[in-house]
Amino acid sequence: MPKKSKKQQSGGGGTPATVALTTAGVDFTVHSYDHDPAHPSYGEEAAEAMGVSPDRVFKTLVADVDGALTVAVVPVAGSLDLKALATAVGGKRAAMADPALAERTTGYVRGGISPLGQRRKLPTVLDASASAHATICVSAGRRGLEVELAPTALATLTNATLAPIGRA
């Protein structure tokens, strides 16, 4: 059973993502679980561990759109439509970013990249399906740690564009 805790106090051992949420005064819930390095999918593992539908758990991916790093936030139940992502940000071509570059740029490790509290603020696109849910879960900045919040709060804090960038 995942541990849950409401975070409203500042800082104290949080990740950059939880610190950003606390600083912004956003309501959120932290879910932690024991990460299994052998699990084939970080996102599906999170959904299973938390007992949350995979269409409410979103993964954070970093892509290169016409030479500019861009964050895509899509449900773990599907995949990223790179062409749709490029279109959403006014680009022509998109490809997944080099994982090492994504880690250096965001300040997070793969499987724990959060759309919040990144080292360098990148353009962000949130899949439009997020708006169908009262709350969604995204990485809180490390493997085994998720944060649940309203999709509108996530979009506001990341200055995200909402667009249909996910594929089932």
Side-chain angles (χ1 to χ4, degrees), residues 93-155:
R93 290 197 184 114
M96 294 308 297
D98 173 70
L101 178 60
E103 289 180 344
R104 276 194 315 275
T105 303
T106 63
Y108 294 117
V109 297
R110 208 167 52 144
I113 294 177
S114 177
L116 299 156
Q118 294 181 357
R119 184 175 289 153
R120 194 171 112 212
K121 193 167 176 88
L122 299 172
T124 301
V125 181
L126 175 60
D127 186 66
S129 69
S131 60
H133 307 286
T135 61
I136 61 171
C137 298
V138 296
S139 176
R142 72 175 169 253
R143 296 172 189 154
L145 197 65
E146 294 280 313
V147 64
E148 181 177 352
L149 73 166
T152 52
L154 178 63

Coordinates of all heavy atoms in Angstrom, one line a residue, residues 93-155:
R93 N 9.5 18.9 -36.8 CA 9.9 17.6 -36.5 C 10.3 17.4 -35.0 O 10.8 18.3 -34.4 CB 11.2 17.3 -37.3 CG 11.0 17.1 -38.7 CD 12.2 16.4 -39.4 NE 11.9 16.3 -40.8 CZ 12.6 17.0 -41.7 NH1 13.7 17.6 -41.3 NH2 12.3 16.9 -43.0
A94 N 9.9 16.3 -34.5 CA 10.2 16.0 -33.1 C 10.8 14.6 -33.0 O 10.5 13.7 -33.7 CB 9.0 16.1 -32.2
A95 N 11.8 14.4 -32.1 CA 12.4 13.1 -31.8 C 12.6 13.1 -30.3 O 12.8 14.2 -29.6 CB 13.7 12.9 -32.5
M96 N 12.7 11.9 -29.7 CA 13.0 11.9 -28.3 C 14.4 12.4 -28.0 O 15.3 12.2 -28.8 CB 12.9 10.4 -27.8 CG 11.5 9.8 -27.8 SD 10.3 10.8 -27.0 CE 10.9 10.8 -25.3
A97 N 14.6 13.2 -27.0 CA 15.9 13.8 -26.6 C 16.8 12.7 -26.1 O 16.4 11.7 -25.6 CB 15.7 14.9 -25.6
D98 N 18.1 13.0 -26.2 CA 19.1 12.1 -25.6 C 18.8 12.0 -24.1 O 18.7 13.1 -23.5 CB 20.5 12.6 -25.9 CG 21.6 11.9 -25.2 OD1 21.8 10.7 -25.6 OD2 22.2 12.4 -24.3
P99 N 18.7 10.8 -23.6 CA 18.4 10.7 -22.1 C 19.4 11.4 -21.2 O 19.0 12.1 -20.2 CB 18.5 9.2 -21.9 CG 18.2 8.6 -23.2 CD 18.8 9.5 -24.2
A100 N 20.7 11.4 -21.5 CA 21.7 12.1 -20.7 C 21.4 13.6 -20.8 O 21.6 14.3 -19.7 CB 23.1 11.8 -21.1
L101 N 21.1 14.1 -21.9 CA 20.8 15.6 -22.1 C 19.5 15.9 -21.3 O 19.5 17.0 -20.6 CB 20.7 15.9 -23.6 CG 20.3 17.4 -23.9 CD1 21.4 18.3 -23.3 CD2 20.2 17.6 -25.4
A102 N 18.5 15.1 -21.4 CA 17.3 15.3 -20.7 C 17.6 15.4 -19.2 O 17.0 16.2 -18.4 CB 16.3 14.2 -21.0
E103 N 18.4 14.5 -18.7 CA 18.7 14.5 -17.2 C 19.5 15.7 -16.8 O 19.2 16.3 -15.8 CB 19.5 13.2 -16.9 CG 18.7 11.9 -16.9 CD 19.5 10.7 -16.6 OE1 20.7 10.7 -16.6 OE2 18.8 9.7 -16.3
R104 N 20.5 16.1 -17.6 CA 21.3 17.3 -17.3 C 20.4 18.5 -17.3 O 20.6 19.4 -16.5 CB 22.4 17.4 -18.3 CG 23.7 16.7 -18.0 CD 24.9 17.1 -18.8 NE 24.6 17.3 -20.2 CZ 24.7 16.4 -21.2 NH1 24.9 15.1 -20.8 NH2 24.4 16.7 -22.4
T105 N 19.6 18.6 -18.3 CA 18.8 19.8 -18.5 C 17.7 20.0 -17.4 O 17.4 21.1 -16.9 CB 18.1 19.8 -19.9 OG1 19.1 19.7 -20.8 CG2 17.3 21.1 -20.1
T106 N 17.0 18.9 -17.0 CA 15.9 18.9 -16.1 C 16.4 18.8 -14.6 O 15.8 19.3 -13.7 CB 14.9 17.8 -16.3 OG1 15.6 16.5 -16.1 CG2 14.3 17.9 -17.7
G107 N 17.6 18.2 -14.4 CA 18.1 18.0 -13.1 C 17.5 16.7 -12.4 O 17.7 16.5 -11.2
Y108 N 16.8 15.9 -13.2 CA 16.2 14.7 -12.7 C 16.7 13.5 -13.4 O 17.2 13.6 -14.5 CB 14.7 14.7 -12.9 CG 13.9 15.8 -12.1 CD1 13.2 16.8 -12.7 CD2 13.9 15.7 -10.7 CE1 12.5 17.8 -12.0 CE2 13.2 16.7 -9.9 CZ 12.5 17.7 -10.6 OH 11.8 18.6 -9.9
V109 N 16.6 12.3 -12.8 CA 17.0 11.1 -13.5 C 15.9 10.5 -14.3 O 14.7 10.7 -13.9 CB 17.6 10.0 -12.5 CG1 18.9 10.5 -11.8 CG2 16.6 9.6 -11.5
R110 N 16.2 9.8 -15.3 CA 15.2 9.1 -16.1 C 14.3 8.2 -15.2 O 14.8 7.5 -14.4 CB 15.9 8.3 -17.2 CG 15.0 8.1 -18.4 CD 15.9 7.6 -19.5 NE 16.6 6.4 -19.1 CZ 16.8 5.3 -19.9 NH1 16.4 5.3 -21.1 NH2 17.5 4.3 -19.4
G111 N 13.0 8.2 -15.5 CA 12.1 7.5 -14.6 C 11.7 8.3 -13.4 O 10.8 7.9 -12.7
G112 N 12.3 9.5 -13.2 CA 11.9 10.4 -12.1 C 11.9 11.8 -12.6 O 11.9 12.7 -11.8
I113 N 11.8 12.0 -13.9 CA 11.7 13.4 -14.4 C 10.3 14.0 -14.1 O 9.3 13.4 -14.5 CB 12.1 13.5 -15.9 CG1 13.5 13.1 -16.1 CG2 11.8 14.9 -16.4 CD1 14.0 13.1 -17.6
S114 N 10.3 15.1 -13.4 CA 9.0 15.7 -13.1 C 8.9 16.9 -14.1 O 9.9 17.6 -14.4 CB 9.0 16.2 -11.7 OG 7.8 16.9 -11.4
P115 N 7.6 17.3 -14.4 CA 7.4 18.5 -15.2 C 7.6 19.7 -14.4 O 7.7 20.8 -14.9 CB 6.0 18.3 -15.7 CG 5.3 17.4 -14.8 CD 6.4 16.5 -14.2
L116 N 7.7 19.6 -13.0 CA 7.8 20.7 -12.1 C 9.2 20.8 -11.5 O 9.8 19.8 -11.3 CB 6.8 20.4 -10.9 CG 5.3 20.3 -11.3 CD1 4.5 19.5 -10.3 CD2 4.8 21.7 -11.5
G117 N 9.6 22.0 -11.2 CA 10.9 22.2 -10.5 C 12.1 21.8 -11.3 O 13.1 21.5 -10.8
Q118 N 12.0 21.9 -12.6 CA 13.2 21.5 -13.5 C 14.3 22.6 -13.4 O 14.0 23.7 -13.1 CB 12.7 21.3 -14.9 CG 11.8 20.2 -15.1 CD 11.4 20.0 -16.5 OE1 11.7 20.7 -17.4 NE2 10.6 18.9 -16.8
R119 N 15.5 22.1 -13.6 CA 16.7 23.0 -13.5 C 16.5 24.1 -14.5 O 16.9 25.3 -14.2 CB 17.9 22.2 -13.8 CG 19.2 22.9 -13.7 CD 20.4 22.0 -13.9 NE 20.5 21.2 -12.7 CZ 21.1 19.9 -12.7 NH1 21.6 19.5 -13.8 NH2 21.2 19.2 -11.6
R120 N 16.1 23.8 -15.7 CA 15.9 24.8 -16.8 C 14.4 24.7 -17.2 O 14.0 23.6 -17.6 CB 16.8 24.6 -17.9 CG 16.9 25.7 -18.9 CD 18.0 25.5 -19.9 NE 17.4 25.3 -21.2 CZ 17.8 24.6 -22.1 NH1 19.0 24.0 -22.0 NH2 17.2 24.5 -23.3
K121 N 13.7 25.8 -17.2 CA 12.3 25.7 -17.6 C 12.2 25.5 -19.1 O 12.7 26.3 -19.9 CB 11.6 27.0 -17.2 CG 10.1 27.0 -17.3 CD 9.5 28.1 -16.6 CE 8.0 28.2 -16.7 NZ 7.3 27.4 -15.7
L122 N 11.5 24.4 -19.5 CA 11.3 24.1 -20.9 C 9.9 24.3 -21.3 O 9.0 24.1 -20.5 CB 11.8 22.6 -21.1 CG 13.2 22.3 -20.8 CD1 13.4 20.8 -20.9 CD2 14.2 23.0 -21.7
P123 N 9.7 24.5 -22.6 CA 8.3 24.6 -23.1 C 7.6 23.2 -22.8 O 8.3 22.2 -22.9 CB 8.4 24.7 -24.6 CG 9.8 25.2 -24.8 CD 10.6 24.7 -23.7
T124 N 6.4 23.2 -22.3 CA 5.7 22.0 -21.9 C 4.4 21.9 -22.5 O 3.6 22.9 -22.7 CB 5.5 22.1 -20.3 OG1 6.8 22.2 -19.7 CG2 4.8 20.8 -19.8
V125 N 4.1 20.6 -22.9 CA 2.8 20.3 -23.5 C 2.1 19.2 -22.7 O 2.8 18.2 -22.5 CB 2.9 19.9 -25.0 CG1 1.5 19.7 -25.6 CG2 3.6 21.0 -25.8
L126 N 0.9 19.5 -22.2 CA 0.2 18.5 -21.4 C -0.9 17.9 -22.3 O -1.6 18.6 -22.9 CB -0.4 19.2 -20.2 CG -1.3 18.3 -19.3 CD1 -0.6 17.1 -18.7 CD2 -1.9 19.2 -18.2
D127 N -1.0 16.6 -22.3 CA -2.0 15.9 -23.2 C -3.4 16.4 -22.7 O -3.7 16.4 -21.5 CB -1.9 14.4 -23.1 CG -2.8 13.7 -24.0 OD1 -2.7 13.9 -25.3 OD2 -3.8 13.1 -23.6
A128 N -4.2 16.7 -23.7 CA -5.5 17.2 -23.5 C -6.4 16.3 -22.6 O -7.3 16.7 -22.0 CB -6.2 17.5 -24.8
S129 N -6.1 15.0 -22.6 CA -6.9 14.0 -21.8 C -6.8 14.3 -20.3 O -7.7 13.9 -19.6 CB -6.4 12.6 -22.1 OG -5.2 12.4 -21.6
A130 N -5.8 15.1 -19.9 CA -5.7 15.4 -18.5 C -6.9 16.1 -18.0 O -7.3 16.0 -16.8 CB -4.4 16.2 -18.2
S131 N -7.5 17.0 -18.8 CA -8.6 17.8 -18.4 C -9.8 17.0 -18.1 O -10.8 17.5 -17.5 CB -8.9 18.9 -19.4 OG -9.2 18.3 -20.6
A132 N -9.9 15.7 -18.4 CA -11.0 14.9 -18.1 C -11.0 14.4 -16.7 O -12.0 13.7 -16.2 CB -11.0 13.7 -19.1
H133 N -9.9 14.7 -15.9 CA -9.8 14.2 -14.6 C -9.7 15.3 -13.6 O -9.1 16.4 -13.8 CB -8.5 13.3 -14.5 CG -8.4 12.3 -15.5 ND1 -9.1 11.1 -15.4 CD2 -7.6 12.1 -16.6 CE1 -8.9 10.3 -16.4 NE2 -8.0 10.9 -17.2
A134 N -10.2 15.1 -12.4 CA -10.1 16.1 -11.3 C -8.7 16.2 -10.8 O -8.2 17.3 -10.5 CB -11.0 15.7 -10.1
T135 N -8.0 15.1 -10.8 CA -6.6 15.1 -10.4 C -5.8 14.1 -11.3 O -6.4 13.1 -11.7 CB -6.3 14.7 -8.9 OG1 -6.8 13.4 -8.7 CG2 -7.0 15.7 -8.0
I136 N -4.6 14.4 -11.5 CA -3.7 13.4 -12.2 C -2.4 13.3 -11.3 O -2.2 14.1 -10.4 CB -3.3 13.9 -13.6 CG1 -2.6 15.3 -13.6 CG2 -4.6 14.0 -14.5 CD1 -2.0 15.7 -14.9
C137 N -1.6 12.2 -11.6 CA -0.4 12.0 -10.9 C 0.8 12.2 -11.9 O 0.7 11.7 -13.1 CB -0.4 10.6 -10.4 SG -1.6 10.3 -9.1
V138 N 1.8 12.8 -11.5 CA 3.1 13.0 -12.2 C 4.2 12.7 -11.3 O 4.1 12.7 -10.1 CB 3.2 14.4 -12.9 CG1 2.1 14.6 -13.9 CG2 3.2 15.5 -11.9
S139 N 5.4 12.5 -11.9 CA 6.5 12.2 -11.0 C 6.8 13.4 -10.1 O 6.7 14.6 -10.5 CB 7.8 12.0 -11.9 OG 8.9 11.8 -11.1
A140 N 7.2 13.1 -8.9 CA 7.5 14.2 -7.9 C 9.0 14.4 -7.9 O 9.5 15.2 -7.1 CB 7.1 13.8 -6.5
G141 N 9.7 13.8 -8.8 CA 11.2 14.1 -9.0 C 12.1 13.0 -8.6 O 13.3 13.2 -8.7
R142 N 11.6 11.8 -8.3 CA 12.5 10.7 -8.2 C 11.6 9.4 -8.3 O 10.4 9.4 -8.1 CB 13.2 10.7 -6.9 CG 12.5 10.4 -5.6 CD 13.4 10.3 -4.4 NE 12.6 10.4 -3.2 CZ 12.5 11.4 -2.4 NH1 13.2 12.4 -2.6 NH2 11.8 11.3 -1.3
R143 N 12.3 8.3 -8.7 CA 11.6 7.1 -8.8 C 11.0 6.6 -7.5 O 11.6 6.8 -6.5 CB 12.6 6.0 -9.3 CG 13.2 6.3 -10.7 CD 14.3 5.3 -11.0 NE 14.9 5.8 -12.2 CZ 16.2 5.5 -12.5 NH1 16.9 4.7 -11.7 NH2 16.7 6.0 -13.7
G144 N 9.7 6.2 -7.6 CA 9.0 5.8 -6.4 C 8.3 6.9 -5.7 O 7.8 6.7 -4.6
L145 N 8.2 8.1 -6.3 CA 7.6 9.2 -5.7 C 6.7 10.0 -6.7 O 7.3 10.4 -7.8 CB 8.6 10.2 -5.1 CG 8.1 11.2 -4.1 CD1 7.6 10.5 -2.8 CD2 9.2 12.2 -3.7
E146 N 5.4 10.0 -6.5 CA 4.5 10.7 -7.4 C 3.8 11.8 -6.6 O 3.6 11.8 -5.4 CB 3.4 9.7 -7.9 CG 4.0 8.6 -8.8 CD 4.2 9.1 -10.2 OE1 3.4 9.7 -10.8 OE2 5.3 8.7 -10.8
V147 N 3.3 12.8 -7.4 CA 2.5 13.9 -6.8 C 1.2 13.9 -7.6 O 1.2 13.8 -8.8 CB 3.3 15.2 -6.9 CG1 3.6 15.7 -8.3 CG2 2.6 16.3 -6.1
E148 N 0.1 14.0 -6.8 CA -1.2 14.1 -7.4 C -1.7 15.5 -7.2 O -1.6 16.1 -6.1 CB -2.1 13.2 -6.6 CG -3.6 13.1 -7.1 CD -4.4 12.1 -6.4 OE1 -3.9 11.3 -5.6 OE2 -5.6 12.1 -6.6
L149 N -2.2 16.1 -8.3 CA -2.7 17.5 -8.3 C -3.7 17.7 -9.4 O -3.8 16.9 -10.3 CB -1.5 18.5 -8.4 CG -0.8 18.6 -9.8 CD1 0.0 19.9 -9.8 CD2 0.0 17.4 -10.2
A150 N -4.3 18.8 -9.4 CA -5.3 19.2 -10.4 C -4.5 19.5 -11.7 O -3.5 20.1 -11.7 CB -6.1 20.4 -10.0
P151 N -5.0 19.0 -12.9 CA -4.3 19.2 -14.1 C -4.2 20.7 -14.4 O -3.3 21.2 -15.0 CB -5.1 18.5 -15.2 CG -6.4 18.1 -14.5 CD -6.2 18.1 -13.1
T152 N -5.2 21.5 -14.0 CA -5.2 23.0 -14.2 C -4.0 23.6 -13.5 O -3.3 24.5 -14.0 CB -6.5 23.6 -13.8 OG1 -6.8 23.2 -12.5 CG2 -7.6 23.3 -14.8
A153 N -3.7 23.1 -12.3 CA -2.6 23.6 -11.5 C -1.3 23.2 -12.2 O -0.4 24.1 -12.2 CB -2.6 23.0 -10.1
L154 N -1.2 22.0 -12.7 CA 0.0 21.6 -13.4 C 0.2 22.5 -14.6 O 1.3 23.0 -14.9 CB 0.0 20.1 -13.8 CG 1.1 19.6 -14.6 CD1 2.4 19.7 -13.7 CD2 0.9 18.2 -15.0
A155 N -0.8 22.7 -15.4 CA -0.7 23.5 -16.6 C -0.3 24.9 -16.3 O 0.5 25.5 -16.9 CB -2.1 23.5 -17.3

